[in-house]
Amino acid sequence: YKARDRDSGQFVALKSVRVQTNQDGLPLSTVREVALLKRLEQFDHPNIVRLMDVCATLRTDQETKVTLVFEHVDQDLRTYLEKVPAPGLPIQQIRDLMQQLLCGLTFLHSNRVLHRDLKPENILVTSRGQVKLADFGLARIYSCHMVLTPVVVTLWYRSPEVLLQTTYATPVDIWSTGCIFAEMFRRKPLFCGESEVDQLGKIFAVIGLPSEEEWPNDVTLSRQNFSPQNPQPITDCVPEISEKGAELLLEMLTFDPLKRISALNALDHPFFTE
Amino acid sequence: DPNIYCDERVLQSLLTVEDRYVPQGPYFKRVQKDIQPFMRRMVATWMLEVCEEEKCEEDIFPLAMNYLDRFLAAVPTRKCFLQLLGAVCLFLASKLKACQSLSARKLCMYTDNSITSQQLLEWELVVLSKLKWNLAAITPLDFIEHILHKLPFPEDRQTLIRKHAQTFIALCATDHSFTMYPPSMIATGCVGAAVCGLQPNQSNQNLWGDNLMELLAKITHTEVDCLKSCQEQIEQLLTSSLKESQQQ
Amino acid sequence: LFGSGDREELAREVEDQMRDMEKASKEKWNYDFAKNEPLAPGNYEWQE
């Protein structure tokens, strides 16, 4: 259901989680998503979806139900891009969407929150073109000594360090954002792998096979698994992108996470003042 | 991740948010008529033992104690339910912070099966709702890296200071007199106690005593006097708990 | 650790706590979260 508030005119929407009580209580993703959104809500950031309330209902003998009341947003970026007529989004609109996306991400990272599942379906766009990051079920509060789930982010938006199952942190969200940035121009995903290895192969076909020195040590997949390839001009994959846009995109799609641009620095990139 | 530990905004954001998760007030004799400080200490010690036995991540115990104190500050509770409450707080803290969360069955086992899984799961919703689902609380551990990052110690010494500070933080969580302190102050006091507890080596003679205090106080915007008394309290707690363990 | 609690009392306690919170949610949103259906007209106009 969704509802309109008679006073403010604002729309809210319900997201219900049903849990079989014979398990270990509420799912991790529900506990984390709500805890994170409650942590962030006091800042009321314009680019983060707002959680309005959480309503738990008394257990019946075999299930519990928790209902999350969110602010309602009409559509996500996937449907938004599908509706765009040829030749695609004007670059000024892409610039505006990316600025808002990075603003939301800078805010998350400055609160040590990794989203870990950025993709067009989890980026909401209101009828007035306001971007809101949503779906924090996979999100995590970063602390430097933490064991991390190795498999996060939907395959096509997954960064090389996650695909290689080595350590990861905020740069995983920047990689996903780079893939989404390219998709705003192409109106179709950039790297559509069918498996982890295939996804890596598609990535290296574009950014080139990293050097031996850059290859992380503690990974099972060795560099020899991939044929040597040079980077190809990013404009071959994203012909509509501007010069500064191509620069920014390559900084987001940098193999080494420590060399990848941060959300904060990306906001200062000349692409946004081009 | 340098985007997190080198960014001043992250520390400022922690300092902004931390007050929101401090219990609303001291609860013994006010909200709690049946529960006394020694009971809280016994349950806290039991919870710490469970975390050590299960090799939980460092921040799970202080986080669970934050939930317990916030719940007790809001809801009058019978002493016979105190261990159940402790188990639920561990259950929730491990869901938020652990890669593999503690199972309901295992937690019941650690109470010698004096509680059932069903009771644990029912109370999970009650505690969540009473805490208004605000589980992402700030603990003193959240400040340690930010503080160490600003202290001019070599890596090996930092590792030692970090380890001692983590131990002191867990110790403070077992003592109710620290319940109302902001986590940043406890963290700063624990780092100060850890640095002072280690013999000064030549490289940082100057970083001692008052100038250490000044520097630490500046990092987390704490009053130097408050920091001093907090650190002294930590050192007294450390001394008394060492004595206790020697007697045992 | 401090005596064995009365199980019925514990169950009642849970029921009371949960009922109060459920009632508060119903009133706030004029929506029955247990049955998943809107309640009589209130501050929110619900639509499926």
Side-chain angles (χ1 to χ4, degrees), chain B residues 44-210:
Chain B
T45 308
W46 168 75
M47 291 163 72
L48 183 53
E49 284 167 6
V50 171
C51 290
E52 286 167 346
E53 187 69 22
E54 290 299 313
K55 296 181 178 44
C56 290
E57 279 84 349
E58 289 286 345
D59 29 15
I60 287 175
F61 173 64
L63 196 57
M65 289 311 295
N66 171 274
Y67 300 161
L68 184 123
D69 288 326
R70 285 162 55 198
F71 186 89
L72 291 177
V75 184
T77 305
R78 301 276 313 283
K79 64 185 177 188
C80 50
F81 299 144
L82 188 55
Q83 189 171 21
L84 167 60
L85 177 61
V88 172
C89 294
L90 279 177
F91 193 45
L92 287 170
S94 80
K95 282 190 175 181
L96 193 78
K97 287 283 187 172
C99 192
Q100 296 291 332
S101 63
L102 292 169
S103 72
R105 188 187 57 77
K106 188 173 277 189
L107 278 164
C108 293
M109 183 193 74
Y110 276 115
T111 68
D112 197 11
N113 291 306
S114 63
I115 64 173
T116 65
S117 277
Q118 190 197 340
Q119 286 171 334
L120 191 74
L121 301 188
E122 284 182 348
W123 272 74
E124 177 188 32
L125 268 192
V126 173
V127 173
L128 267 172
S129 303
K130 285 297 174 188
L131 297 181
K132 300 192 179 358
W133 294 72
N134 279 311
L135 294 192
I138 309 291
T139 73
L141 284 166
D142 291 317
F143 293 96
I144 294 298
E145 295 310 321
H146 292 278
I147 295 170
L148 291 179
H149 192 75
K150 294 175 188 273
L151 297 180
F153 290 116
E155 185 59 39
D156 59 334
R157 202 157 186 80
Q158 283 215 0
T159 306
L160 212 50
I161 293 167
R162 180 185 293 114
K163 195 71 211 128
H164 287 197
Q166 286 170 347
T167 305
F168 298 165
I169 285 169
L171 194 61
C172 292
T174 62
D175 188 292
H176 78 281
S177 48
F178 291 89
T179 303
M180 297 308 295
Y181 284 6
S184 59
M185 183 184 299
I186 295 173
T188 322
C190 289
V191 170
V195 172
C196 296
L198 295 165
Q199 293 317 316
N201 63 17
Q202 291 60 37
S203 66
N204 43 49
Q205 273 293 352
N206 65 328
L207 190 59
W208 218 253
D210 287 349

Side-chain angles (χ1 to χ4, degrees), chain A residues 1-4 11-18 33 49-57 65-73, chain C residues 25-26 28-39 44-48:
Chain A
Y1 280 88
K2 77 176 183 183
R4 194 178 75 83
F11 275 92
V12 297
L14 300 182
K15 176 176 175 180
S16 263
V17 179
R18 314 171 95 92
E33 178 169 22
V49 73
R50 271 204 66 202
L51 175 66
M52 316 287 282
D53 202 356
V54 189
C55 307
T57 51
K65 191 159 50 175
V66 174
T67 306
L68 312 183
V69 186
F70 280 103
E71 67 171 313
H72 175 70
V73 178
Chain C
S25 303
K26 265 184 183 172
K28 178 176 179 183
W29 298 100
N30 59 284
Y31 186 89
D32 185 331
F33 290 97
K35 294 187 189 128
N36 240 358
E37 58 193 33
L39 289 171
Y44 289 86
E45 296 159 3
W46 290 97
Q47 61 185 101
E48 194 146 10

